[in-house]
Structures are given as C-alpha cells and as structure tokens.
Amino acid sequence: MTTTDLLHYYVVHDGAGEPEGLLAEEFLLAADHSCAGLVSGGWSRSQGRWCDAAATSRRLRVDAALRARVTPVCRTAAAAFYRDLCGGDLPDEAALRACFGALPAPPPPPLRLSGPEPTPGFRETRVYRILFTDGLTGDGVAALSEAWRVPVTGDLPDPAVRRRVCGDAFRWDLRRVAAGAAWALDVTCDLLGERDEAVGVLLRGLTAQMRRQGMIPVTVDRFR
C-alpha cells in the first residue's frame, strides 16, 4: 500500500467559494490502531496564523453546510495552496502539531460485539469500523471499486474485498449506516503472527482512499 500522509489536510472555502484557509488534523491512535482522539490546527487569511481548530473539526462532522465548503487534499496540494495564498512554505508536521490544542481524554474501553475466539487458523481476529460523513458519489464508488478490483452492485462494491499480507488475512466492505446519513468501512483482520503493524498500514491506506473521494473520516472504532 502506498505511503499516506500522517496528517489530514483540508482546504476551506468561504461562502462565495473563494479559498479562505487550511485545516490540518490528526487522529490519535491507541496501541491497537483504534481512534483515541482527534486534534487539529487551522490557518485562515483573516487571522494570518496557525491556531487550535478543535471546534472547527467537531463542527465539520455535524454541519453539512461547512462540509460543502471543505475539500480533502494531500499534503502536496495543501503546500501548493498555502504557498499561493500566503507566499510561504507549509510548516512541517512537528510545527503544525505545536499549534494543536490539548489532547483529549482517554477513550473508554473498546465495545466488543462478539467473543474473543479468532477465526480458525489464526492467532487473533479484530474487527474495526472506519466511519465517514455522507457525500460519496457514484463516481467515488466506481473509483473505489476499481482500486479494490471488485464489481459494483447497485451503489456499493460487492462482495467484500479480501487481501493477504505475510500470512495475515484482511477483508473489508463498504456500507451505508445511520439510516443512510453516513458510510462505514467494516474491516476484519485475521492475524497469524504476533505483530500487527499491517493493521495500522491498512487502516491508514483505506482512510486515504476514501478521503481521495471527498469523504471526511469521523472515527476508527474497534468492535472485537
């Protein structure tokens, strides 16, 4: 899987559609790669400086009007936007993190929806859900279907996508949730050995693929 940005970047436009600012976010991850919190910083033309943007990040997940003015971008595109808007280089990730607000409180223990028994032949089985806001278009579904090399049935790729990495087995499927108001990638990880680095790589890669289709991640929950 290709390298993905550690921070998530978003270009923010004003009500007239003109570029107004930049938002940089980071999901803080627990040891098992589930989400432990979200921190962020923002820069706007009106303020001309970077500052904590936790309130904007929270609003982005619940305000459809704000999401309509926000475009997910990679760091390269964010750097080009920043250079065009203010004539300087985008700060490195360490500098951006310095403007993030206080770390959130530790999350509660994972919600286990099934027993601890692994899939036969594996040491451990984990189930994650990556939740995204609404907004996936038909073209976006088709692009994901092509990237995952699966057919499209209706408006969803079908069947579940399956991959193997060094003996570990992964499968995921995309579905509408919350009465169609959101999308979720449900990811099952069957781990053969003691190491779980491939889980984090896969979850980050899948999130990056969804962001390239304009989706905004909300959280990464572990159910098993």
Side-chain angles (χ1 to χ4, degrees), residues 10 12 21-25 40-44 47-54 56-57 82 96 99-100:
Y10 300 89
V12 183
L22 195 62
L23 180 66
E25 297 184 337
S40 65
W43 179 91
S44 66
Q47 290 186 311
R49 62 184 179 88
W50 286 90
C51 59
D52 175 38
T56 300
S57 290
Y82 189 75
L96 290 176
C99 76
F100 291 175

Side-chain angles (χ1 to χ4, degrees), residues 53-164:
T56 300
S57 290
R58 289 193 296 270
R59 182 182 162 206
L60 184 61
R61 271 72 189 175
V62 299
D63 188 338
L66 176 59
R67 288 199 298 274
R69 298 194 286 110
V70 170
T71 303
V73 296
C74 64
R75 180 175 171 87
T76 300
F81 166 84
Y82 189 75
R83 188 176 301 110
D84 289 344
L85 212 57
C86 70
D89 291 333
L90 180 66
D92 62 25
E93 292 182 344
L96 290 176
R97 288 187 178 99
C99 76
F100 291 175
L103 301 182
L111 174 65
R112 303 301 193 213
L113 299 183
S114 58
E117 297 79 10
T119 299
F122 293 91
R123 175 186 61 85
E124 181 183 8
T125 294
R126 301 180 188 178
V127 177
Y128 295 86
R129 168 166 286 182
I130 314 175
L131 185 65
F132 298 87
T133 59
D134 61 324
L136 185 61
T137 65
D139 288 344
V141 171
L144 292 170
S145 179
E146 181 178 357
W148 297 339
R149 300 177 184 176
V150 295
V152 173
T153 300
D155 62 352
L156 295 175
D158 181 73
V161 188
R162 300 174 185 273
R163 298 286 187 272
R164 275 194 173 265

Side-chain angles (χ1 to χ4, degrees), residues 150-189:
V150 295
V152 173
T153 300
D155 62 352
L156 295 175
D158 181 73
V161 188
R162 300 174 185 273
R163 298 286 187 272
R164 275 194 173 265
V165 179
C166 298
D168 297 332
F170 304 97
R171 61 185 184 276
W172 62 92
D173 61 279
L174 178 64
R175 64 186 68 193
R176 290 183 182 272
V177 295
W183 292 82
L185 267 177
D186 289 340
V187 185
T188 300
C189 308

